[in-house]
């Protein structure tokens, strides 16, 4: 977990101007926290453990699909 912010900052540095880098990283962090909160809100509305696990699987699969799509769309050649 400690290496995550360092790796993100190293990947972002060549692509974002110095004046906008802190704002870009802050917005990325805010979006991640918002998505995490939204997922927790959705899961907290479910009653049964089976539904919670099913929702977790669906969210995980959607996340993997989005990650793979982003990799295919934005990979450098």
């Amino acid at each position: 977990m400690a290496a995550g912010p360092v790796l993100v900052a190293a990947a972002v540095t060549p692509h974002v101007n110095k004046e906008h880098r802190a704002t870009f990283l802050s917005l990325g962090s805010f979006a991640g926290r918002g998505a995490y909160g939204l997922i927790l809100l959705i899961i907290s509305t479910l009653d049964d453990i089976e539904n919670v696990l099913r929702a977790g699987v669906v969210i995980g699969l959607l996340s993997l699909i989005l990650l793979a799509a982003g990799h295919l769309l934005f990979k450098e050649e």
Side-chain angles (χ1 to χ4, degrees):
M1 293 286 293
V6 175
L7 295 174
V8 170
V12 166
T13 299
H15 302 290
V16 178
N17 292 335
K18 183 179 179 183
E19 299 85 24
H20 301 165
R21 194 173 304 140
T23 303
F24 181 82
L25 292 172
S26 294
L27 287 174
S29 176
F30 180 68
R33 291 172 190 258
Y36 181 68
L38 184 63
I39 289 170
L40 288 179
L41 181 66
I42 291 169
I43 289 177
S44 70
T45 62
L46 302 174
D47 305 355
D48 190 14
I49 189 71
E50 290 180 21
N51 291 334
V52 171
L53 293 174
R54 193 173 292 122
V57 168
V58 169
I59 290 169
L61 288 175
L62 287 175
S63 299
L64 285 174
I65 290 169
L66 288 173
L67 185 64
H71 177 70
L72 291 175
L73 289 174
F74 299 112
K75 71 178 179 180
E76 296 180 23
E77 295 187 31

